[in-house]
Amino acid sequence: MGLPLDAVAAVLAPLCADPGLRGLCVTEVDPDHAPGPEDVARLVDVLTAALG
């Protein structure tokens, strides 16, 4: 599986706010393996908020 989405959100926000951030790689998002149908949309929201 991976990290819970709430944990990802909590870590990404301060990391993406750091001026030293040079890149972010999301290696795989497979909707067929998401715990729920809304989880991919929530991930997009988390990434969008973190990247500003």
Side-chain angles (χ1 to χ4, degrees):
M1 249 327 216
L3 293 172
L5 193 50
D6 291 337
V8 172
V11 170
L12 272 181
L15 287 177
C16 290
D18 189 302
L21 179 74
R22 296 292 180 252
L24 175 69
C25 180
V26 177
T27 58
E28 178 185 0
V29 178
D30 187 341
D32 293 332
H33 294 134
E38 72 286 345
D39 289 319
V40 174
R42 284 186 58 224
L43 176 59
V44 170
D45 291 342
V46 165
L47 290 171
T48 301
L51 294 170

